[in-house]
Amino acid sequence: MVKAGTIHAIDAGILIAEIQQNSNCTYRMYDYDRRDKFGNLRELHVEKSLDVVVPEKYVKDNKNEIILARNEHYTEERLVQCKYFEVTKYEVNDEVRIPVDESSFMSALFIEGNGNIAVKDENGETSMKYKPADSFFVSAGKKEIIIRGKGTCLITHV
């Protein structure tokens, strides 16, 4: 997790799951001479970046990263929990069932693996295949997400 205000860079081969409240605000300090769709260098925002950067050394806070469940079927690890959202990582070996309630929607982002994701409610079960980088939105309501297969999934609850 990278906290707001932390200077960071993205290198080749890195997968980023950006989960946050929509701020519609990204400042570029440097952009590796990348170009926009018209061939122009992308705009930099050095002065604005310096106004919001947090200059203290980043210290990772591990108090939210907790193994919630571990068994032969899956491992459930909370990665982040704050007043806006919670992200839980599931390492699925064959199947996991995740309850959904009326409070908010859930998002499922598959990092690796293959299988099926299903949503089960009073009307039955709807299932779709998943592969790495697939993302699914599950609306709020009394239902259950069922992930079958072998893979890694990030579940976000707002």
Side-chain angles (χ1 to χ4, degrees), residues 1 3-4 8 13 23 25 43 48 51-53 58 65 67 72 80 82 85 89 92 122 141 143 147 149-151 157:
M1 181 175 102
K3 292 182 180 181
H8 59 281
S23 68
C25 180
E43 181 182 1
K48 289 180 180 179
D51 288 342
V52 297
V53 73
Y58 175 74
E65 294 182 23
I67 300 292
E72 65 212 41
V80 176
C82 67
F85 60 87
K89 180 173 83 170
V92 182
E122 69 275 353
K143 54 186 86 170
I147 300 171
K150 185 166 181 63
H157 184 244

Side-chain angles (χ1 to χ4, degrees), residues 43-126:
E43 181 182 1
L44 298 181
H45 314 96
V46 176
E47 292 300 319
K48 289 180 180 179
S49 297
L50 293 173
D51 288 342
V52 297
V53 73
V54 176
E56 292 81 28
K57 180 180 177 182
Y58 175 74
V59 177
K60 186 176 178 182
D61 176 5
N62 290 325
K63 67 182 176 188
N64 285 318
E65 294 182 23
I66 299 171
I67 300 292
L68 301 172
R70 179 177 283 141
N71 58 52
E72 65 212 41
H73 306 289
Y74 64 91
T75 299
E76 177 184 7
E77 178 183 7
R78 185 176 61 217
L79 299 180
V80 176
Q81 183 179 41
C82 67
K83 66 181 181 178
Y84 302 110
F85 60 87
E86 179 177 65
V87 179
T88 306
K89 180 173 83 170
Y90 289 88
E91 298 279 350
V92 182
N93 295 320
D94 53 35
E95 181 179 285
V96 64
R97 293 173 177 259
I98 304 163
V100 181
D101 61 29
E102 292 85 5
S103 67
S104 181
F105 68 89
M106 290 180 125
S107 166
L109 173 63
F110 288 89
I111 306 301
E112 59 186 11
N114 291 283
N116 288 290
I117 179 172
V119 175
K120 184 177 180 180
D121 61 17
E122 69 275 353
N123 298 318
E125 185 175 308
T126 305

